[in-house]
Amino acid sequence: MNPLQRTRKLISHALSSSQSRSNDIPPYSPSNTSPSKIHKTGKRMGWSKGSRWNRRQCRRVTILSLPDEVLLDIFEFCLPDIAGLRARAWFKLVHVCQRWRYIVFASPLRLDLRLFCADRTPVRKMLDIWPPLPIEIHYFSVDPQAEDNIIAALKHPNRVRNIWLGRITISLERLVAVMQEPFPELENLFLHIEGTVLVLPNTFLGGSAPRLRSLTLDSIPFPTLPRLLLSSNDLVDLSLDRIPQSGYISPEAMATCISASTRLTNLSIGFISPTSRPDPATRHPPLLTRVVLPALTKFGFHGVSEYLEDLMARTDAPLLRAARITVFNQLVFSIQQLPRFIGHAPALMPFYTASINFDSTYVAFSSKTRSSINEVLQFKIPRIGLEWQVSSVVQICNQLSIVLSSIEVLYIEGFGINESLSRDEAQWLELFQPFTAVQTLRISDNIQSRVLSALRGLSGELATQVLPALEELQLQGYYHAFDNWPFIIARQHSDHPVAVRRGWMW
């Protein structure tokens, strides 16, 4: 057993037996830790020399005789790193003995002590009996007493460090009324309140949050958010999910407010309705100077393509590593700024593999680089009929053609599709045009009939113009004859023959 394991065992033993020993251990004072005092204490408690019980008690004597600084190091090492668990764990330490309580409360910053307010926590009683430590508010339930407990904790704005309110039924009027004052220590704010209709005013949080590092608003309108963000220079994570129409923020205002967040690493913007879109009369040409987000690594968007265009025209993210984009279904997509935006992020380029997924409820395009494990770009269109999916993907690929020319492996997959998916051979051939470097084409079994019907009849020069670098065609579970296809025959007589491989596993 190494020293760390032995130390943890000693702490665990002390904590588990704290209740049975709390009345026997004398109050802490420097004189109580001398060898003579410890010996007298052991004799009074009935420790017999050489017995098994004596050996156990010797461990207690050893840990009781450790200096305060050593005990403090042990406490810091043993407390969990997770904030919620850490906020609960120190309660056990202070109930072991008076000395441990003194050590713990003498170093609240080093041990990062906090009061954890959660479901069924008697908040008012807890705030009365414990020292004025930072407060964590975590509620993810519909407990009838939650509202009063939350309000009681929020009445200490100078101590509140984190607020997590998710899917709870609370009067937003009461919440806003008590959060009009500044919260100077607030670092993380997560709000998702069911049935919200009230718009957050510009006086929310006193109009500033200088120490805010993470902000998540779900289904909560806050049109004056840009004013708050301009004061949050330490912001790292910003998620605005399912923004209602009453909380619409223009792309210009959004780009301006995040310009001060130079430490922002994660940005997610999502709207609840396609009616949240820029006014065509106020849209302007792309700017020559853009807002640079020097630390941004993840970007997410859910809305109309016009908003995405205007936002990307005003921003650059050179360290971007992943982009997740979902656009509402519309007849015409405009994403001309997307190739420039991802082209300025070296970690996203060049693409090596791409996947096109046709589903009964959505169509999606995703890509990876040669070194990436997860997708670096995902573009998804939900709630789109099968009859429109192929034409929509053609629009996307044509506008991304400048960044698709490096892809060497292309997957085409189908899930839950039926006869409604387009069989237009011209559309499928147009889909393949941007993929000039694809060497391997993999097609799932339930979509092969549509893709192959467009390929197998090609002959002559047309057979070499479509997917000109193709070397291998991989078909999942397809066992029909293919040797007599004009496409295969024409490629065999060219400088770029195609080998066909079949099987259920790729």
Side-chain angles (χ1 to χ4, degrees):
M1 182 181 299
N2 61 45
L4 289 180
Q5 291 174 331
R6 182 177 178 81
T7 301
R8 279 186 165 174
K9 187 174 181 179
L10 290 173
I11 290 289
S12 177
H13 178 74
L15 293 178
S16 62
S17 59
S18 62
Q19 292 183 353
S20 61
R21 295 168 35 232
S22 59
N23 295 328
D24 296 327
I25 297 176
Y28 168 71
S29 68
S31 61
N32 285 339
T33 59
S34 63
S36 60
K37 289 289 185 181
I38 293 174
H39 175 72
K40 292 179 180 179
T41 301
K43 188 174 181 180
R44 176 172 57 84
M45 296 177 65
W47 301 349
S48 58
K49 184 177 180 179
S51 66
R52 177 180 297 180
W53 179 251
N54 181 60
R55 289 195 295 272
R56 292 178 181 175
Q57 298 302 331
C58 287
R59 294 181 182 178
R60 296 181 183 174
V61 173
T62 301
I63 198 169
L64 287 174
S65 63
L66 290 176
D68 291 358
E69 188 62 31
V70 175
L71 282 175
L72 186 59
D73 290 337
I74 295 174
F75 295 162
E76 184 180 15
F77 175 78
C78 292
L79 287 176
D81 293 331
I82 302 175
L85 298 178
R86 192 182 189 91
R88 294 182 175 95
W90 65 265
F91 283 104
K92 295 183 178 180
L93 293 176
V94 299
H95 281 89
V96 172
C97 65
Q98 184 176 352
R99 181 190 176 198
W100 284 27
R101 177 179 294 216
Y102 170 80
I103 296 173
V104 169
F105 286 148
S107 303
L109 295 179
R110 180 172 174 179
L111 297 179
D112 194 20
L113 302 184
R114 305 186 185 188
L115 298 178
F116 194 77
C117 304
D119 297 338
R120 301 179 181 178
T121 300
V123 174
R124 298 182 188 276
K125 180 180 179 181
M126 181 180 65
L127 295 177
D128 289 338
I129 64 176
W130 293 113
L133 299 172
I135 298 173
E136 299 248 0
I137 303 175
H138 289 241
Y139 283 89
F140 293 86
S141 71
V142 292
D143 185 353
Q145 298 180 350
E147 183 169 339
D148 291 336
N149 287 329
I150 293 171
I151 298 301
L154 290 175
K155 288 184 178 180
H156 301 267
N158 293 330
R159 295 168 54 187
V160 175
R161 191 72 59 86
N162 295 323
I163 301 175
W164 300 82
L165 303 178
R167 294 186 177 275
I168 64 172
T169 54
I170 183 176
S171 171
L172 191 59
E173 290 83 356
R174 289 190 65 190
L175 183 68
V176 170
V178 77
M179 298 186 71
Q180 297 293 307
E181 300 181 41
F183 282 66
E185 300 298 321
L186 185 62
E187 294 180 354
N188 299 286
L189 175 61
F190 177 97
L191 291 181
H192 179 196
I193 301 176
E194 298 287 353
T196 300
V197 293
L198 182 66
V199 178
L200 293 182
N202 57 4
T203 55
F204 185 69
L205 297 179
S208 67
R211 297 193 59 181
L212 194 64
R213 292 178 53 82
S214 175
L215 174 62
T216 299
L217 298 179
D218 192 334
S219 307
I220 297 180
F222 192 7
T224 58
L225 175 67
R227 175 189 170 187
L228 179 69
L229 294 183
L230 287 174
S231 68
S232 306
N233 296 330
D234 293 336
L235 194 66
V236 174
D237 191 324
L238 175 61
S239 297
L240 307 175
D241 301 325
R242 295 187 289 183
I243 304 173
Q245 179 62 31
S246 57
Y248 177 78
I249 302 173
S250 68
E252 297 87 347
M254 186 66 71
T256 301
C257 71
I258 61 178
S259 62
S261 304
T262 56
R263 300 181 182 180
L264 190 66
T265 62
N266 185 14
L267 174 62
S268 178
I269 303 171
F271 295 93
I272 200 170
S273 168
T275 58
S276 298
R277 61 177 62 239
D279 185 357
T282 61
R283 298 184 68 186
H284 303 288
L287 302 177
L288 297 179
T289 58
R290 300 180 179 89
V291 172
V292 178
L293 302 174
L296 191 69
T297 58
K298 295 181 181 179
F299 173 72
F301 176 80
H302 189 159
V304 296
S305 61
E306 294 89 343
Y307 192 102
L308 179 68
E309 277 285 279
D310 288 358
L311 182 62
M312 288 188 169
R314 292 167 169 80
T315 54
D316 267 330
L319 296 185
L320 192 67
R321 294 183 176 275
R324 304 285 183 266
I325 297 171
T326 302
V327 296
F328 289 110
N329 181 22
Q330 50 195 99
L331 292 178
V332 179
F333 298 95
S334 177
I335 54 172
Q336 298 177 4
Q337 290 293 329
L338 182 57
R340 182 206 62 79
F341 183 75
I342 62 179
H344 287 187
L348 295 181
M349 301 293 294
F351 293 159
Y352 175 66
T353 67
S355 176
I356 301 175
N357 298 308
F358 297 93
D359 190 90
S360 58
T361 58
Y362 70 88
V363 63
F365 170 87
S366 58
S367 62
K368 298 180 181 180
T369 63
R370 190 180 293 270
S371 60
S372 65
I373 299 176
N374 300 318
E375 292 88 355
V376 295
L377 173 65
Q378 184 182 81
F379 196 101
K380 184 177 180 180
I381 308 173
R383 300 178 183 177
I384 180 173
L386 289 169
E387 63 275 13
W388 299 103
Q389 290 189 7
V390 178
S391 61
S392 297
V393 174
V394 169
Q395 288 190 58
I396 296 171
C397 293
N398 284 340
Q399 296 183 66
L400 294 178
S401 59
I402 192 172
V403 295
L404 301 184
S405 58
S406 61
I407 292 175
E408 297 183 14
V409 180
L410 176 61
Y411 300 80
I412 299 181
E413 301 173 298
F415 303 96
I417 61 175
N418 53 38
E419 293 301 319
S420 299
L421 187 65
S422 174
R423 291 183 177 273
D424 188 338
E425 297 181 3
Q427 281 189 346
W428 286 102
L429 294 179
E430 188 179 0
L431 173 63
F432 293 134
Q433 286 183 0
F435 300 97
T436 56
V438 167
Q439 299 177 11
T440 302
L441 175 62
R442 298 178 177 179
I443 310 173
S444 65
D445 59 334
N446 51 1
I447 202 172
Q448 287 179 17
S449 60
R450 292 162 175 78
V451 180
L452 297 181
S453 64
L455 285 178
R456 59 186 164 197
L458 299 178
S459 59
E461 293 185 3
L462 191 57
T464 58
Q465 292 175 0
V466 176
L467 301 173
L470 186 65
E471 297 177 357
E472 185 173 277
L473 178 62
Q474 298 183 1
L475 307 178
Q476 184 186 44
Y478 190 82
Y479 293 98
H480 291 185
F482 54 84
D483 295 335
N484 59 349
W485 292 356
F487 174 72
I488 298 298
I489 296 174
R491 294 298 290 263
Q492 297 295 345
H493 291 85
S494 69
D495 296 333
H496 299 283
V498 176
V500 180
R501 303 190 186 280
R502 302 173 297 186
W504 285 105
M505 299 297 293
W506 284 344

